[in-house]
Amino acid sequence: MFEGLLAASLITLIILGLICLPILVLYIVASWKLYKKCGREGWEGIIPIYRDYVLLQITGIKWWVIFILVVGSLLTNTAGIGFIISLVVLFAKFCIYYNLSKKMGKDPVGFGIGLTLLPIIFIPILAFGDSKFTECEVSPYGVIPEEKVNSAASNVKETAKKKTASKNAKFCTNCGAELTGGKFCSKCGHEIH
């Protein structure tokens, strides 16, 4: 009984090895060729974590996204928030692949989704296909236009200034209007003490 189970397990491992090993070799060669196409060294495409950092440089995404990828990958099995973290990592990867698809002259949305969900298929398509790497205008935030990020950041700063200003603000004891300075209230003319 035990020998039969051991033999079945060994045969299964051999079959999986014969299937997975060529796929792994294809993926490594495709990554090497893709990074060469993008003007980088081929070996940069096969070293874990460093490969992601170089891909951020290639695609023009902000450097700090590497922390989302690394920490997110470590925390995806965390109970409770693992699913949310997985979605954040998935979105970060989509932003990276969106820009890569754009720079390789492919449809950014369709090819970005393909690269995010099935990189084992789409990276060889980019590497061995006729696509060429071009330096084109991309957002450092992927699918989110930089103007929207900058306007949102300036809105946050403006709101923070208003809140800070209102914390230090003084109000007229007569009418309640915010005082702008001087000896008299600009709204009702009451003398400020």
Side-chain angles (χ1 to χ4, degrees):
M1 171 92 174
F2 181 70
E3 292 83 17
L5 186 61
L6 185 64
S9 298
L10 188 60
I11 290 171
T12 304
L13 283 174
I14 290 172
I15 291 172
L16 282 174
L18 290 174
I19 293 171
C20 293
L21 189 61
I23 292 172
L24 179 65
V25 169
L26 173 70
Y27 186 74
I28 289 171
V29 170
S31 293
W32 186 291
K33 187 164 174 57
L34 179 63
Y35 277 64
K36 292 287 280 182
K37 247 186 189 183
C38 294
R40 300 299 297 234
E41 294 295 322
W43 61 267
E44 292 177 313
I46 61 173
I47 299 174
I49 300 174
Y50 181 67
R51 149 186 76 211
D52 296 331
Y53 178 72
V54 172
L55 190 58
L56 292 176
Q57 292 177 334
I58 291 170
T59 58
I61 299 284
K62 297 287 187 178
W63 65 270
W64 49 262
V65 174
I66 193 74
F67 295 113
I68 294 173
L69 298 175
V70 172
V71 174
S73 297
L74 296 174
L75 297 177
T76 53
N77 294 330
T78 306
I81 61 169
F83 178 71
I84 295 169
I85 292 172
S86 296
L87 289 178
V88 170
V89 170
L90 197 64
F91 181 71
K93 285 183 178 183
F94 174 71
C95 289
I96 294 166
Y97 289 136
Y98 178 90
N99 279 3
L100 180 64
S101 300
K102 211 172 187 181
K103 287 187 173 225
M104 295 300 285
K106 298 290 186 183
D107 170 42
V109 175
F111 227 80
I113 291 171
L115 282 165
T116 303
L117 300 178
L118 295 167
I120 198 80
I121 294 171
F122 281 82
I123 286 187
I125 291 172
L126 280 181
F128 300 119
D130 60 353
S131 59
K132 303 257 187 270
F133 180 78
T134 57
E135 279 297 334
C136 62
E137 190 67 31
V138 292
S139 170
Y141 303 101
V143 295
I144 306 168
E146 190 172 5
E147 301 83 41
K148 285 191 177 185
V149 174
N150 290 338
S151 69
S154 64
N155 288 345
V156 168
K157 287 178 185 175
E158 209 171 289
T159 305
K161 282 181 187 176
K162 286 179 183 176
K163 286 186 177 182
T164 305
S166 62
K167 284 181 183 176
N168 299 331
K170 296 181 181 174
F171 297 92
C172 176
T173 55
N174 188 41
C175 69
E178 188 174 345
L179 299 174
T180 57
K183 290 189 168 199
F184 300 97
C185 175
S186 60
K187 186 159 184 148
C188 70
H190 184 72
E191 187 175 350
I192 309 299
H193 298 290

